[in-house]
Amino acid sequence: MKHSVKLGSLVFIIFTLLLSACSSGSKTINVVTAGDTNMVELQTDIVGKEFLASNEEGYELNVVGTGSGDAGSQKIYAKLKAQKDAGKTEWDIDVAIVHQSIMKEMMEEGLLEKYVPLSANKEYVTSPDSKNSLGIDIDGYAIPLFHSQVALGYNPDKVSDVPQSFEDLVQWINDNPERFGYNGIKNGMSGVAFTTAYTYWKSGDYNQLAEGPYDPALEEKWPEVMKELKALPVTYTGGNNATLDMMNRGEIDMGPVWVDMFISWKGEGRLNPDFRLKIIEPGLPGQPMYVVVPKNAANKEAALAYADFLTSPEIQASAIVDSMGWFPGIDAASVMPNVSEEGKESLFSDISAEDLANKGLSFPLVDYFSNLKEAYERN
């Protein structure tokens, strides 16, 4: 009940922030984004400025952030569903940036416009996660804004024999107790990604866990897998930031991190510039965030114009790769000619495009994903 009241209050706040700008034909585009503060900064300080300077229609932007993690996307879903249930014919979110986890509910409730066929960039929407999200067919309803990838960050002064596989990593952890750190499954997705990848490796069930069909019998292996994982002599961190901080302070030598945060911290001088990245065999998961257009967006034409701007090869290169250090959401071949040499060096010096293609895994189907996290907590 407390959760419902809190979520309802936050939805009301979003209503309030958007209400003044909501009317069909308005020049203001309401953009609501899930994610950390950097997601709001991307829309306001990086992409937003370029959009405002370039659009001839005189559009303005009203950007609202709903918070990090899946909860941020849940608030956007709740907001749109409330307007649908109230019978409103014009909704006051024009463009939304959401996680994979919410796509199933949004699709089932009919909250999204199938806008990709109308996009100027439709020919570049080619990646598997632009067609399928955690086992859900989303083809036509979303374009990945970027692809985040988890990799192992490590201090090469301390890790001379870099693990190439999970077998190597388990041996390294046992040989170097407490020097590997991750955050379990709380306070950030890098630890969830590591736990998921460990389960993929130990079970050998990646293809079915990621692509279906759902079979609960596969989960019978998980208690033993989780016990083995939790028996390893690791250091538990407070989240992705904490893993990087502890590496910087020399308290640990290696741990799973989001590649984009690792690169941005190095770029800002917040992380030892000698630290390196590695995706070990058989791979680690990553995930996109999606650009979606609500079905009854009040400013549909303006929404499509901004979605096109966000997902164009030029903005993908300048904002997503060069400024944010993220892998592009659309076909990389269309983006790379516009990426600076510094951007290419920063993003692909440790992790090649081939590494990403072969060892960048998906998270499991929604049902498996929820149960996997519960299995970790129970065992």
Side-chain angles (χ1 to χ4, degrees):
M1 179 62 72
K2 287 182 179 179
H3 176 75
S4 298
V5 171
K6 185 177 180 181
L7 181 59
S9 299
L10 288 168
V11 170
F12 174 77
I13 291 171
I14 299 172
F15 262 111
T16 303
L17 289 170
L18 295 178
L19 190 59
S20 62
C22 174
S23 65
S24 179
S26 167
K27 289 294 185 181
T28 299
I29 305 170
N30 286 315
V31 179
V32 181
T33 179
D36 289 324
T37 54
N38 62 345
M39 290 296 295
V40 175
E41 292 166 359
L42 170 68
Q43 301 300 329
T44 56
D45 298 340
I46 301 174
V47 178
K49 287 183 177 178
E50 290 194 50
F51 179 74
L52 295 177
S54 63
N55 85 86
E56 298 177 352
E57 292 79 5
Y59 292 131
E60 299 292 334
L61 292 180
N62 180 40
V63 179
V64 176
T66 56
S68 62
D70 291 339
S73 291
Q74 185 70 31
K75 293 166 195 165
I76 296 172
Y77 162 76
K79 173 74 165 61
L80 292 172
K81 187 174 186 303
Q83 292 184 92
K84 176 194 173 188
D85 292 346
K88 292 183 177 295
T89 57
E90 292 187 342
W91 304 342
D92 57 9
I93 296 177
D94 298 312
V95 176
I97 314 299
V98 299
H99 294 86
Q100 282 186 295
S101 59
I102 206 63
M103 289 300 296
K104 180 181 180 181
E105 291 164 277
M106 284 186 157
M107 300 280 292
E108 289 178 346
E109 289 290 341
L111 300 179
L112 300 182
E113 177 69 51
K114 194 171 186 177
Y115 80 99
V116 179
L118 306 174
S119 170
N121 308 307
K122 59 186 177 186
E123 66 183 292
Y124 310 128
V125 185
T126 58
S127 65
D129 57 22
S130 68
K131 314 295 182 186
N132 186 289
S133 174
L134 306 178
I136 305 301
D137 180 5
I138 64 166
D139 192 9
Y141 289 92
I143 300 178
L145 178 61
F146 61 86
H147 181 87
S148 287
Q149 178 63 45
V150 170
L152 297 186
Y154 67 93
N155 181 349
D157 289 338
K158 302 292 184 180
V159 185
S160 54
D161 190 12
V162 182
Q164 302 296 310
S165 66
F166 267 91
E167 287 91 341
D168 294 345
L169 178 63
V170 168
Q171 185 63 54
W172 190 91
I173 291 172
N174 284 317
D175 291 343
N176 300 273
E178 320 301 334
R179 304 305 297 174
F180 180 89
Y182 81 110
N183 57 293
I185 63 165
K186 293 183 177 178
N187 302 315
M189 285 293 287
S190 59
V192 175
F194 177 71
T195 300
T196 301
Y198 186 92
T199 306
Y200 287 158
W201 166 59
K202 291 296 289 187
S203 70
D205 293 331
Y206 169 67
N207 288 339
Q208 190 165 349
L209 293 175
E211 300 174 9
Y214 176 68
D215 179 0
L218 297 186
E219 299 174 7
E220 294 174 4
K221 303 176 184 176
W222 292 358
E224 190 62 30
V225 170
M226 298 305 171
K227 288 175 184 174
E228 290 182 14
L229 171 60
K230 294 170 79 171
L232 294 174
V234 304
T235 294
Y236 290 100
T237 71
N240 195 67
N241 289 14
T243 301
L244 292 171
D245 279 334
M246 293 179 75
M247 283 179 57
N248 236 6
R249 294 194 297 263
E251 296 169 7
I252 58 175
D253 300 323
M254 183 162 44
V257 298
W258 286 108
V259 170
D260 57 286
M261 185 172 287
F262 182 94
I263 290 174
S264 68
W265 278 37
K266 285 181 77 170
E268 295 165 5
R270 299 172 62 186
L271 196 66
N272 185 328
D274 295 330
F275 287 178
R276 305 289 299 274
L277 290 167
K278 179 75 178 179
I279 303 180
I280 59 176
E281 296 281 356
L284 285 154
Q287 64 178 175
M289 286 194 77
Y290 292 122
V291 181
V292 297
V293 175
K295 190 169 188 176
N296 286 356
N299 287 315
K300 188 70 66 68
E301 183 177 348
L304 295 175
Y306 189 64
D308 278 351
F309 192 78
L310 277 175
T311 58
S312 65
E314 294 79 11
I315 291 299
Q316 289 277 300
S318 65
I320 300 302
V321 179
D322 280 345
S323 294
M324 304 302 289
W326 294 335
F327 295 107
I330 63 171
D331 181 16
S334 68
V335 176
M336 293 309 286
N338 298 299
V339 175
S340 69
E341 291 304 314
E342 293 79 7
K344 293 175 184 175
E345 173 66 19
S346 175
L347 196 55
F348 294 104
S349 58
D350 286 339
I351 299 172
S352 68
E354 184 179 12
D355 282 338
L356 190 63
N358 295 330
K359 294 183 286 189
L361 306 181
S362 298
F363 280 102
L365 305 185
V366 172
D367 289 336
Y368 282 132
F369 202 15
S370 299
N371 295 341
L372 188 150
K373 287 181 278 190
E374 288 181 13
Y376 183 91
E377 292 282 49
R378 285 199 307 268
N379 294 281

